[in-house]
Amino acid sequence: MEQVVVNGLFSGAQYSLIALGLTLIFGLMNVLNFAHGQMYVLGGLVTYTIVTFGFGFIPPDAFTIFGIDFIFPIALICAGMVLAILGALFEKLLFRTVIRRSKRDESTMLLAAATAFLLDASLLLIFGEKLHSVPDLVDGIISTDLEPVFPAIPFSDSFNLPYYKLLLGVIAFVMILLFVAGMRFTRPGRAMRALAQDRMAAQLMGVNVGRYTMIGFAVGAMLAGMTGGLLLAASGGIQATEGGAKSILAFEMIMLGGAGVTGGAIAGGFILGMMQSVGHSFLGNFTDLVIFAALVVFLSIRPQGLMGKPWG
Amino acid sequence: METILEVNEVSRKFGGLVAVNGVSFTVKKGEILSVIGPNGAGKSTLFKLISSFMPTSSGNVTFRKERISGLAPHIVARKGVVRTFQETTIFRNMTVRETVIVAHHLRSRANLVGYYFGTHLARKDEREFGESADEILAFLNLTAMAHEQASNLPHGHLRALGIAMGLATNPVILLLDEPFAGMNHEETMRAVEMVRSLRDNRGLTVLLVEHDMPAVMKISDRIVVLNFGQKIAEGTPQEIQQNPAVIEAYLGTADESIGI
Amino acid sequence: MERFPSNPNLPSPQRGNLSNLSRFVQESRPTWPWLGTVFALILLFFVIPDFIASMRPEKQGLIYYQFTQIALLSIAAAGVWLTFYIGRINIGQGALCLVGAYVSAIVQVKLDVSYWLTIPLAGIFCVLVGIVIGWPILRLRGVYFAMITLILTEVAKLVVLNFPIVTNGARGITNIPLPEAVTLFGFTILPEFTADNNRMYFYFLSMFVMVLTFIALFRLVHSRIGRLCKSLQQNEELASSLGVNLVLLRLIPFCISCFMGGVAGALAAGVQHNVGPSIFTVQDSVNYMLYCFMGGLGNLFGPLVGTVILRMGWNYLTAAGDYQLLFYAIALIILMLIIPNGVMSLSPVRIYQRVVGWLGNRRPTLNTVPHNRKS
């Protein structure tokens, strides 16, 4: 059982990060970013490329300081930057134009789907279908091979937690905290929250809507990209084709928590991570079906999700 | 006169906040009754409770001795209790005439399958709806706007469109949500005349929620005053104007003119 | 659209070109749907087959197949459009297609039922699925509905994979027989489909179903139900205050949409002779939505136009090999930037004018100078 809880927390943290980016974009622009999973995959593959091939002109051991290889965090930051630029470009060149010119809000959905196809196609062309993975970041494992940790609890058993997973989990938690703090305490963060709540009012209060929408899209994409990098290291590899499935997961999370709400995305991510983890140990293949059924029942009782505004 | 709508000890809580607290009153057939009160007195909530757009926390509303609170809004409408919305709630991409024809839904005798295949009854229905819609539009002076998109209508006409939709359902009692809000004096007086003629010519019972005092004083047979979710007074306009509790409620909370 | 002849005694309000014209089209409505249908039938059943017959024989099968696909996809897309008509964006049509295809295949292979019966059967089964799923999820609106329907396709695939006893799991059902002939009193009503002619016969079958679908949809949209649906699309609360039963009126179009999905799926199962869990994927579901949007959501024939344009484009792009999806995506994005409201939104004045002009009508010309539209 401990293993299940640990797995659940671990994937919950990663999922929350994906959902945060999606919910940020949704909250700011009312755009359902279909390409979110693809952005995540792109982030993972950029990280993979840098970790595996370096930057070409710099010798591969240049990032080793005190015997620790810093190539992975550097790659992660690079992935975040690439995605942020991509997100900003998408917003500025594509979404803004379509939002201005189309009669219906929903047209952005079409555009988002098209960008998802675009990213899917490019990723497949560049990276092929094979699984890309990086070596473990650090060796070692926390393990209680022999005895259950809490023998009094039913289902208690031993668990294994490799150090690299622990490290990645911590990074994910720190990123979530940073994001929440950034939204709460920095000026752009406050501006974006104001935008998400009431676009018109924010504009009247002098918030530069265009600029902060672009920043928001960039930050959302960046989160997706960095999460891709994290999960690449955590989960044994990433395939260029798995973007769509990841988008769907992210949608489940933000529906559960409530679209457009930061807390909802985090809650949705952790709940889904935990449900999957528990489900896989009890239900096996039927987990996703059961989760979907539960989601439908839950949403029919509470259509706005856990923390969403009604029809946010 | 026969009592047709009865509001019994209706309350509604939002978390810890009591928006409407044990309000009771009755509406008699053929009268115009207004519910007034300062901002935040719970008028809108009460309105939603009566039209069953929001469930009551306790108490109930009966229409002709039949409990209507807790029923789905369309069933309440079917029984003859029809509400109008404020002006922004319209079918934006429909023409005025189309809107009014759609609003005849409750009068339809054919079923949906009949409408699909255009049976004799269905065609007869549609013909009658068209005629009735034209008549209603003429009654409300909307004929000139009949083929205009609803979203293009000016302010006052939108209000009339809302009432036209209400009339098309052939209601027994019409609930009007702030029918005079945002109108100038002249427009208000015209609207007052219109609501009066609804009652006089069509035998409708009207319950309206409003804060425009002069209009309310002019139009109402009786008035119910709310403050902080509670009923503080009930009576004819003259009685209300002299009621010290009402005067205090208004003068004590806002510098709004009571129109005495 | 207006159904009633307007009263000539009423004072005529001031109207612009467009509403004058659309009113004109509305008034002449009794003739043009029939003419349109006849025109479509002639085009689909004589002109196009005749054109294909003039091609090289080895190429004919492929062309028939591509047209068949367009017909099937536009049936499914019409369903998506209908759910949009009640204000819901449905990205789950692929799930219903998958269900329809599997129902048809399973009933044929395991219960040995004639293919012809399985088509309506698949539709009816999908309606039942639609009731079970639609009843809870139709309460959701906007993006929430879009997201949950998007998940639906993935869920349908999981169902197929997780119940291999019925569905054969990942291997799918590969031995679907070709439809046999149906005779009544010695007359052959439906011919036997053979390896040689099945491409052509499936073309006729699916085109027939497609025409039927759009006639049914046209009738629906122009009946009172259509108007009620439109009122739901605009404002559900207001509609319910007028006595419209929201639950029922959301469910009916959704179920019809599911029926269309099921029928399209069953037809696809016949056309392809085999079904597997990935014959309809999330990408297909998204594509249906794209067809509707690209064609234009404001018009009933939007999904048809969108399907023809995008699917033909996709077929032409096969020449690009591996770069097919990339070019397709780029083309989509460009189209989106140029015509964000869909093809049918492009100058309706001109399109109406053309249609009216072609079909010959009471008033021969309309002196409306087409606007030089920016887009």
Side-chain angles (χ1 to χ4, degrees), chain A residues 131-194:
Chain A
L131 191 71
H132 299 275
S133 57
V134 292
D136 292 353
L137 292 179
V138 282
D139 295 329
I141 191 166
I142 303 174
S143 172
T144 58
D145 279 336
L146 301 170
E147 281 175 39
V149 190
F150 303 109
I153 303 172
F155 304 116
S156 190
D157 58 12
S158 62
F159 74 96
N160 295 315
L161 181 64
Y163 280 139
Y164 74 88
K165 276 204 171 188
L166 184 65
L167 182 65
L168 293 168
V170 170
I171 296 179
F173 273 108
V174 169
M175 276 171 62
I176 294 174
L177 288 180
L178 276 178
F179 176 79
V180 174
M183 285 303 274
R184 200 155 284 265
F185 301 117
T186 67
R187 198 181 149 77
R190 278 199 298 265
M192 282 192 271
R193 280 194 302 152

Coordinates of all heavy atoms in Angstrom, one line a residue, chain A residues 131-194:
Chain A
L131 N 11.2 4.8 -28.7 CA 11.2 5.3 -27.3 C 12.5 5.9 -27.0 O 13.5 5.3 -27.2 CB 10.9 4.1 -26.3 CG 10.6 4.4 -24.9 CD1 9.2 5.0 -24.8 CD2 10.7 3.2 -24.0
H132 N 12.4 7.2 -26.5 CA 13.7 7.9 -26.2 C 13.8 8.0 -24.6 O 12.9 8.3 -24.0 CB 13.6 9.3 -26.7 CG 13.5 9.3 -28.2 ND1 14.6 9.2 -29.0 CD2 12.5 9.4 -29.0 CE1 14.3 9.3 -30.3 NE2 12.9 9.4 -30.3
S133 N 14.9 7.6 -24.1 CA 15.1 7.6 -22.7 C 16.5 8.1 -22.3 O 17.4 8.1 -23.1 CB 14.8 6.3 -22.1 OG 15.7 5.3 -22.6
V134 N 16.6 8.6 -21.1 CA 17.9 9.1 -20.6 C 18.3 8.2 -19.4 O 17.4 7.6 -18.8 CB 17.8 10.5 -20.1 CG1 17.6 11.4 -21.3 CG2 16.7 10.7 -19.1
P135 N 19.6 8.1 -19.1 CA 20.0 7.3 -17.9 C 19.5 7.9 -16.6 O 19.2 9.1 -16.6 CB 21.6 7.3 -18.0 CG 21.9 8.5 -18.9 CD 20.7 8.6 -19.9
D136 N 19.4 7.1 -15.6 CA 19.0 7.6 -14.3 C 19.9 8.7 -13.8 O 21.1 8.7 -14.1 CB 19.0 6.4 -13.3 CG 18.0 5.4 -13.6 OD1 17.2 5.6 -14.5 OD2 18.0 4.3 -12.9
L137 N 19.3 9.7 -13.2 CA 20.0 10.8 -12.8 C 21.0 10.5 -11.7 O 22.2 10.9 -11.7 CB 19.1 11.9 -12.2 CG 18.2 12.5 -13.3 CD1 17.3 13.5 -12.6 CD2 19.0 13.1 -14.3
V138 N 20.6 9.8 -10.6 CA 21.5 9.4 -9.6 C 21.2 7.9 -9.2 O 20.1 7.4 -9.5 CB 21.3 10.2 -8.3 CG1 21.9 11.6 -8.4 CG2 19.8 10.4 -8.0
D139 N 22.1 7.3 -8.7 CA 21.9 5.8 -8.4 C 21.4 5.7 -7.0 O 21.3 6.7 -6.2 CB 23.3 5.1 -8.5 CG 23.8 5.1 -9.9 OD1 22.9 5.1 -10.8 OD2 25.0 5.1 -10.1
G140 N 21.1 4.5 -6.6 CA 20.6 4.3 -5.2 C 19.1 4.2 -5.1 O 18.4 4.6 -6.0
I141 N 18.7 3.6 -4.0 CA 17.3 3.4 -3.9 C 16.9 3.4 -2.4 O 17.7 2.9 -1.6 CB 16.9 2.0 -4.6 CG1 15.4 1.8 -4.7 CG2 17.6 0.9 -3.8 CD1 15.1 0.7 -5.6
I142 N 15.8 3.9 -2.1 CA 15.3 3.7 -0.7 C 14.4 2.5 -0.7 O 13.5 2.4 -1.5 CB 14.3 4.9 -0.3 CG1 15.1 6.2 -0.4 CG2 13.8 4.7 1.1 CD1 14.2 7.4 -0.1
S143 N 14.7 1.6 0.1 CA 14.0 0.3 0.0 C 13.7 -0.3 1.3 O 14.6 -0.3 2.2 CB 14.7 -0.6 -0.9 OG 14.1 -1.9 -0.9
T144 N 12.6 -0.8 1.6 CA 12.3 -1.6 2.8 C 11.9 -3.0 2.3 O 10.8 -3.4 2.3 CB 11.2 -1.0 3.6 OG1 10.0 -0.9 2.7 CG2 11.5 0.4 4.1
D145 N 13.0 -3.7 1.9 CA 12.7 -5.0 1.2 C 12.0 -6.0 2.1 O 11.1 -6.7 1.6 CB 14.1 -5.6 0.8 CG 14.6 -5.0 -0.5 OD1 13.7 -4.4 -1.2 OD2 15.8 -5.0 -0.7
L146 N 12.4 -6.0 3.3 CA 11.9 -7.1 4.1 C 10.6 -6.9 4.8 O 9.7 -7.8 4.8 CB 13.0 -7.5 5.1 CG 14.4 -7.8 4.4 CD1 15.5 -7.9 5.4 CD2 14.2 -9.1 3.6
E147 N 10.5 -5.8 5.5 CA 9.4 -5.6 6.4 C 8.5 -4.5 5.9 O 8.9 -3.5 5.4 CB 9.9 -5.3 7.8 CG 10.4 -6.5 8.5 CD 11.0 -6.1 9.8 OE1 10.4 -5.2 10.5 OE2 12.0 -6.6 10.2
P148 N 7.2 -4.6 6.2 CA 6.3 -3.5 6.0 C 6.6 -2.4 6.9 O 7.2 -2.5 8.0 CB 4.9 -4.1 6.4 CG 5.1 -5.6 6.5 CD 6.5 -5.8 6.7
V149 N 6.4 -1.2 6.4 CA 6.7 0.0 7.2 C 5.8 0.2 8.3 O 6.2 0.4 9.5 CB 6.7 1.3 6.3 CG1 7.3 2.4 7.0 CG2 7.5 1.0 5.0
F150 N 4.5 0.0 8.1 CA 3.5 0.2 9.1 C 2.7 -1.1 9.2 O 1.7 -1.3 8.6 CB 2.5 1.3 8.9 CG 3.2 2.6 8.7 CD1 3.3 3.2 7.5 CD2 3.8 3.2 9.8 CE1 4.0 4.4 7.3 CE2 4.5 4.5 9.6 CZ 4.5 5.1 8.4
P151 N 3.2 -2.1 9.9 CA 2.6 -3.4 9.9 C 1.1 -3.4 10.4 O 0.3 -4.3 10.0 CB 3.4 -4.2 10.9 CG 4.7 -3.4 11.1 CD 4.3 -2.0 10.9
A152 N 0.8 -2.4 11.2 CA -0.6 -2.3 11.7 C -1.6 -2.1 10.6 O -2.8 -2.5 10.7 CB -0.7 -1.3 12.8
I153 N -1.2 -1.4 9.6 CA -2.2 -1.0 8.5 C -2.4 -2.2 7.6 O -1.4 -2.8 7.1 CB -1.7 0.2 7.7 CG1 -1.4 1.3 8.7 CG2 -2.6 0.6 6.7 CD1 -0.7 2.5 8.1
P154 N -3.6 -2.5 7.3 CA -3.8 -3.6 6.3 C -3.3 -3.2 5.0 O -3.2 -2.0 4.6 CB -5.4 -3.8 6.3 CG -5.9 -2.5 6.9 CD -4.9 -2.0 7.8
F155 N -2.9 -4.2 4.2 CA -2.3 -4.0 2.9 C -0.9 -3.4 3.0 O -0.3 -3.0 2.0 CB -3.1 -3.1 1.9 CG -4.5 -3.6 1.7 CD1 -5.6 -2.8 2.1 CD2 -4.7 -4.8 1.1 CE1 -6.8 -3.2 1.9 CE2 -6.0 -5.2 0.9 CZ -7.1 -4.4 1.3
S156 N -0.4 -3.2 4.2 CA 0.9 -2.6 4.3 C 2.0 -3.6 3.7 O 1.9 -4.8 3.9 CB 1.2 -2.3 5.8 OG 2.3 -1.5 5.9
D157 N 2.9 -3.0 3.0 CA 4.0 -3.9 2.5 C 5.2 -3.0 2.3 O 5.3 -1.9 2.7 CB 3.6 -4.5 1.2 CG 3.2 -3.5 0.2 OD1 3.5 -2.3 0.4 OD2 2.6 -3.8 -0.9
S158 N 6.2 -3.6 1.8 CA 7.5 -2.9 1.6 C 7.3 -2.0 0.3 O 6.4 -2.1 -0.5 CB 8.6 -3.9 1.3 OG 8.2 -4.6 0.1
F159 N 8.2 -1.1 0.2 CA 8.2 -0.3 -1.0 C 9.6 0.1 -1.4 O 10.5 0.1 -0.6 CB 7.3 0.9 -0.9 CG 7.8 2.0 0.0 CD1 8.5 3.1 -0.6 CD2 7.7 2.0 1.3 CE1 9.0 4.1 0.1 CE2 8.2 3.1 2.1 CZ 8.9 4.1 1.5
N160 N 9.7 0.4 -2.7 CA 10.9 0.8 -3.3 C 10.8 2.2 -3.9 O 9.8 2.5 -4.5 CB 11.3 -0.1 -4.5 CG 11.6 -1.5 -4.0 OD1 12.3 -1.7 -3.0 ND2 11.0 -2.4 -4.7
L161 N 11.8 3.1 -3.6 CA 11.7 4.4 -4.2 C 13.1 4.8 -4.6 O 14.0 5.1 -3.7 CB 11.2 5.4 -3.2 CG 11.1 6.9 -3.7 CD1 10.1 6.9 -4.9 CD2 10.7 7.8 -2.6
P162 N 13.5 4.7 -5.9 CA 14.8 5.0 -6.3 C 15.1 6.5 -6.0 O 14.1 7.3 -6.1 CB 14.8 4.8 -7.8 CG 13.6 3.9 -8.0 CD 12.6 4.2 -7.0
Y163 N 16.3 6.8 -5.7 CA 16.6 8.2 -5.4 C 16.3 9.2 -6.5 O 15.9 10.3 -6.3 CB 18.1 8.3 -5.1 CG 18.5 7.9 -3.7 CD1 19.6 7.1 -3.5 CD2 17.7 8.3 -2.6 CE1 20.0 6.7 -2.2 CE2 18.0 7.8 -1.4 CZ 19.1 7.1 -1.1 OH 19.4 6.7 0.1
Y164 N 16.5 8.7 -7.8 CA 16.3 9.7 -8.9 C 14.8 10.1 -8.9 O 14.4 11.2 -9.2 CB 16.8 9.2 -10.2 CG 15.9 8.1 -10.8 CD1 14.9 8.4 -11.7 CD2 16.2 6.7 -10.6 CE1 14.1 7.4 -12.3 CE2 15.4 5.7 -11.2 CZ 14.4 6.1 -12.0 OH 13.6 5.1 -12.6
K165 N 13.9 9.1 -8.6 CA 12.5 9.4 -8.5 C 12.2 10.4 -7.4 O 11.4 11.3 -7.6 CB 11.7 8.1 -8.3 CG 11.4 7.4 -9.6 CD 10.2 6.5 -9.5 CE 9.8 6.0 -10.8 NZ 8.5 5.3 -10.8
L166 N 12.8 10.2 -6.3 CA 12.6 11.1 -5.1 C 13.0 12.5 -5.5 O 12.3 13.5 -5.3 CB 13.4 10.6 -4.0 CG 13.3 11.3 -2.7 CD1 11.8 11.2 -2.2 CD2 14.3 10.9 -1.6
L167 N 14.2 12.6 -6.2 CA 14.7 13.9 -6.6 C 13.7 14.5 -7.6 O 13.4 15.7 -7.4 CB 16.1 13.6 -7.3 CG 16.8 14.9 -7.8 CD1 17.2 15.7 -6.6 CD2 18.0 14.5 -8.6
L168 N 13.2 13.8 -8.5 CA 12.3 14.4 -9.5 C 11.0 14.8 -8.9 O 10.5 15.8 -9.2 CB 12.1 13.4 -10.6 CG 13.3 13.1 -11.5 CD1 13.0 11.9 -12.4 CD2 13.6 14.3 -12.4
G169 N 10.6 14.0 -7.9 CA 9.4 14.3 -7.2 C 9.5 15.6 -6.5 O 8.7 16.5 -6.5
V170 N 10.7 15.8 -5.8 CA 11.0 17.0 -5.1 C 11.0 18.2 -6.0 O 10.4 19.3 -5.8 CB 12.3 16.9 -4.3 CG1 12.7 18.2 -3.7 CG2 12.1 15.9 -3.2
I171 N 11.7 18.0 -7.2 CA 11.7 19.1 -8.2 C 10.3 19.5 -8.6 O 9.9 20.7 -8.7 CB 12.5 18.7 -9.4 CG1 14.0 18.4 -9.0 CG2 12.5 19.8 -10.5 CD1 14.8 18.0 -10.2
A172 N 9.4 18.5 -8.8 CA 8.1 18.8 -9.3 C 7.3 19.6 -8.2 O 6.7 20.5 -8.5 CB 7.3 17.5 -9.6
F173 N 7.5 19.1 -6.9 CA 6.8 19.8 -5.8 C 7.3 21.3 -5.8 O 6.5 22.2 -5.6 CB 7.1 19.1 -4.5 CG 6.1 18.1 -4.2 CD1 6.5 16.7 -4.3 CD2 4.8 18.4 -3.8 CE1 5.5 15.7 -4.0 CE2 3.9 17.4 -3.6 CZ 4.3 16.1 -3.6
V174 N 8.6 21.4 -5.9 CA 9.2 22.8 -5.8 C 8.6 23.6 -7.0 O 8.3 24.8 -6.8 CB 10.7 22.7 -5.9 CG1 11.3 24.1 -6.1 CG2 11.3 22.1 -4.6
M175 N 8.5 23.0 -8.2 CA 8.0 23.8 -9.3 C 6.5 24.2 -9.0 O 6.1 25.3 -9.4 CB 8.1 23.0 -10.6 CG 9.5 23.1 -11.2 SD 9.7 22.0 -12.6 CE 8.5 22.5 -13.7
I176 N 5.8 23.3 -8.5 CA 4.4 23.7 -8.2 C 4.3 24.8 -7.2 O 3.6 25.8 -7.4 CB 3.6 22.5 -7.6 CG1 3.5 21.4 -8.6 CG2 2.2 22.9 -7.1 CD1 2.9 20.1 -8.1
L177 N 5.1 24.7 -6.2 CA 5.2 25.8 -5.2 C 5.6 27.1 -5.8 O 5.0 28.2 -5.5 CB 6.1 25.4 -4.0 CG 5.6 24.3 -3.1 CD1 6.6 24.1 -2.0 CD2 4.3 24.8 -2.5
L178 N 6.6 27.1 -6.6 CA 7.1 28.3 -7.3 C 6.0 28.9 -8.1 O 5.8 30.1 -8.1 CB 8.3 27.9 -8.2 CG 9.7 27.9 -7.5 CD1 10.8 27.5 -8.5 CD2 10.0 29.2 -6.9
F179 N 5.3 28.0 -8.9 CA 4.3 28.5 -9.7 C 3.2 29.2 -8.9 O 2.8 30.4 -9.2 CB 3.7 27.4 -10.5 CG 2.5 27.8 -11.4 CD1 2.7 28.4 -12.6 CD2 1.2 27.6 -11.0 CE1 1.7 28.8 -13.4 CE2 0.1 28.0 -11.7 CZ 0.4 28.6 -12.9
V180 N 2.7 28.5 -7.9 CA 1.7 29.1 -7.0 C 2.1 30.4 -6.4 O 1.4 31.5 -6.5 CB 1.2 28.1 -6.0 CG1 0.3 28.8 -5.0 CG2 0.6 26.9 -6.6
A181 N 3.4 30.4 -5.9 CA 3.9 31.7 -5.3 C 4.0 32.8 -6.4 O 3.7 33.9 -6.1 CB 5.3 31.4 -4.7
G182 N 4.5 32.4 -7.6 CA 4.6 33.3 -8.6 C 3.3 34.0 -9.0 O 3.2 35.2 -9.2
M183 N 2.2 33.1 -9.1 CA 0.9 33.7 -9.4 C 0.4 34.6 -8.3 O -0.4 35.5 -8.6 CB -0.1 32.5 -9.6 CG 0.1 31.7 -10.9 SD -0.1 32.8 -12.3 CE -1.8 32.8 -12.6
R184 N 0.8 34.3 -7.1 CA 0.3 35.1 -6.0 C 1.1 36.4 -5.7 O 0.5 37.4 -5.4 CB 0.3 34.2 -4.7 CG -0.6 34.6 -3.6 CD -0.9 33.4 -2.8 NE -1.9 32.5 -3.5 CZ -3.2 32.6 -3.2 NH1 -3.7 33.5 -2.4 NH2 -4.0 31.8 -3.9
F185 N 2.4 36.3 -5.8 CA 3.2 37.4 -5.3 C 3.9 38.2 -6.3 O 4.3 39.3 -6.0 CB 4.2 36.9 -4.3 CG 3.6 36.1 -3.1 CD1 3.9 34.8 -2.9 CD2 2.8 36.8 -2.3 CE1 3.3 34.1 -1.9 CE2 2.2 36.1 -1.2 CZ 2.4 34.8 -1.0
T186 N 4.0 37.8 -7.6 CA 4.7 38.6 -8.5 C 3.7 39.5 -9.3 O 2.5 39.1 -9.3 CB 5.5 37.8 -9.5 OG1 4.6 37.1 -10.3 CG2 6.4 36.9 -8.8
R187 N 4.2 40.5 -9.9 CA 3.3 41.4 -10.6 C 2.6 40.7 -11.9 O 1.4 40.8 -12.0 CB 4.1 42.6 -11.1 CG 3.3 43.8 -11.4 CD 4.2 45.0 -11.9 NE 3.5 45.7 -12.9 CZ 2.5 46.6 -12.5 NH1 2.2 46.8 -11.3 NH2 1.9 47.3 -13.5
P188 N 3.4 40.1 -12.7 CA 2.7 39.4 -13.8 C 1.7 38.3 -13.3 O 0.7 38.2 -13.9 CB 3.9 38.7 -14.6 CG 5.1 39.3 -14.1 CD 4.9 39.9 -12.7
G189 N 2.1 37.7 -12.2 CA 1.2 36.6 -11.7 C -0.2 37.3 -11.3 O -1.2 36.8 -11.6
R190 N -0.1 38.4 -10.6 CA -1.3 39.0 -10.2 C -2.1 39.5 -11.4 O -3.3 39.4 -11.4 CB -1.0 40.2 -9.3 CG -0.7 39.8 -7.8 CD -0.9 41.0 -6.9 NE 0.1 42.0 -7.2 CZ 1.3 42.1 -6.6 NH1 1.6 41.3 -5.6 NH2 2.1 43.1 -6.9
A191 N -1.3 40.0 -12.4 CA -2.0 40.5 -13.6 C -2.8 39.4 -14.2 O -3.9 39.5 -14.7 CB -1.0 41.1 -14.5
M192 N -2.1 38.2 -14.3 CA -2.7 37.1 -15.0 C -4.0 36.6 -14.2 O -5.0 36.2 -14.8 CB -1.7 36.0 -15.2 CG -0.8 36.2 -16.3 SD 0.2 34.8 -16.7 CE 1.6 35.0 -15.7
R193 N -3.9 36.6 -12.9 CA -5.0 36.2 -12.1 C -6.2 37.2 -12.3 O -7.3 36.7 -12.4 CB -4.7 36.1 -10.6 CG -4.0 34.8 -10.3 CD -3.9 34.6 -8.8 NE -3.3 35.7 -8.1 CZ -3.6 36.0 -6.9 NH1 -4.5 35.3 -6.2 NH2 -3.0 37.0 -6.3
A194 N -5.9 38.4 -12.4 CA -6.9 39.4 -12.6 C -7.6 39.2 -14.0 O -8.8 39.2 -14.1 CB -6.3 40.8 -12.6

